[in-house]
């Protein structure tokens, strides 16, 4: 049985643009994402909780827009996102014959997000960078994920919308596929015989 290891954001979950949030609070477009990702490193490897990371974003914004607007902007930016229905359909097909696990660069908020989205019932296992103390695309993160899942690299297919993450998987000995959209995900799974026939 093959393990299908999937990324979450950009594969199974999508977010709308940040523009409406930034426009509503008078922030330059692209600024929220840049600030958030400049501060996320420790939360992604489990060194600080998600709540502390979001508080750091809020505190940094407060200097520009004031504490109340900063709080509300971060709350609006921290939306749940939505499941990609066509990608979930593919996961359900693969799960008829194979194990499917999620491997996400994510903070300790991820389990709550998965429950809210209903994805906790659609996957056989979930591994996060916060649990492992290492993040994609580092090959060490992939090796730790496989050790946690108990599956050899040679029996694993990994799909991610980031080419760098797919390359990290390949470096770890995994069959890594860059799947920037659902059509690419379908093609990658079909080419590997994971959709049956």
């Amino acid at each position: 049985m093959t393990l299908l290891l999937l990324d979450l954001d950009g594969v199974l979950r999508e977010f709308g643009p940040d523009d409406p949030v930034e426009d509503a609070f008078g922030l330059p477009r692209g600024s929220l994402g840049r600030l958030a990702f400049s501060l996320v490193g420790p939360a992604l490897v489990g060194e600080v909780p998600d709540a502390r990371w979001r508080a750091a974003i809020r505190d940094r914004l407060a200097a520009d827009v004031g504490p109340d607007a900063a709080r509300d902007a971060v709350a609006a930016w921290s939306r749940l996102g939505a499941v990609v229905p066509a990608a979930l359909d593919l996961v359900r097909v693969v799960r008829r014959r194979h194990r499917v696990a999620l491997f996400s660069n994510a903070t300790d908020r991820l389990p709550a997000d998965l429950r809210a989205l209903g994805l906790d019932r659609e996957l056989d296992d979930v591994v996060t960078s916060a649990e492992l103390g290492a993040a994609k695309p580092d090959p060490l993160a992939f090796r730790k994920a496989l050790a946690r899942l108990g599956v050899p690299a040679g029996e694993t297919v990994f799909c991610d919308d980031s080419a760098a993450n797919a390359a990290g998987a390949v470096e770890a000995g995994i069959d890594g596929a860059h799947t920037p959209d659902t059509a690419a995900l379908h093609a990658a799974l079909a080419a590997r015989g994971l959709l049956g026939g």
Side-chain angles (χ1 to χ4, degrees):
M1 176 185 288
T2 299
L3 170 68
L4 173 60
L5 198 57
L6 285 178
D7 178 41
L8 176 62
D9 295 334
V11 177
L12 269 180
R13 174 169 71 172
E14 60 189 352
F15 292 93
D18 293 338
D19 296 356
V21 177
E22 291 163 339
D23 292 349
F25 292 95
L27 297 166
R29 288 194 172 182
S31 61
L32 259 175
R34 283 192 300 273
L35 174 59
F37 290 107
S38 75
L39 298 172
V40 75
L44 278 188
V45 293
E47 293 173 1
V48 301
D50 181 274
R52 190 182 303 175
W53 167 53
R54 292 178 200 273
I57 302 168
R58 180 199 66 212
D59 293 346
R60 199 71 74 82
L61 282 178
D64 296 326
V65 298
D68 293 343
R71 179 198 62 226
D72 294 345
V74 172
W77 178 80
S78 299
R79 59 205 182 277
L80 183 62
V83 175
V84 179
L88 180 56
D89 288 345
L90 293 173
V91 166
R92 289 171 172 164
V93 171
V94 173
R95 280 189 83 201
R96 292 175 193 158
R97 295 187 179 123
H98 304 282
R99 185 176 171 194
V100 179
L102 192 73
F103 179 30
S104 181
N105 280 353
T107 69
D108 61 4
R109 179 180 126 158
L110 184 66
D113 280 7
L114 294 178
R115 285 191 298 273
L117 292 165
L119 286 175
D120 58 325
R121 302 183 299 273
E122 302 285 357
L123 302 158
D124 297 304
D125 214 329
V126 176
V127 182
T128 69
S129 58
E131 293 173 58
L132 301 177
K136 303 176 291 185
D138 186 345
L140 175 63
F142 289 98
R143 289 193 285 271
K144 285 187 168 189
L146 293 183
R148 155 94 162 62
L149 295 166
V151 180
E155 296 175 15
T156 303
V157 173
F158 173 72
C159 296
D160 198 301
D161 66 314
S162 159
N165 289 346
V170 170
E171 195 174 335
I174 297 168
D175 180 3
H178 177 215
T179 54
D181 53 38
T182 304
L185 178 63
H186 184 281
L189 299 178
R192 290 158 174 83
L194 296 180
L195 297 177

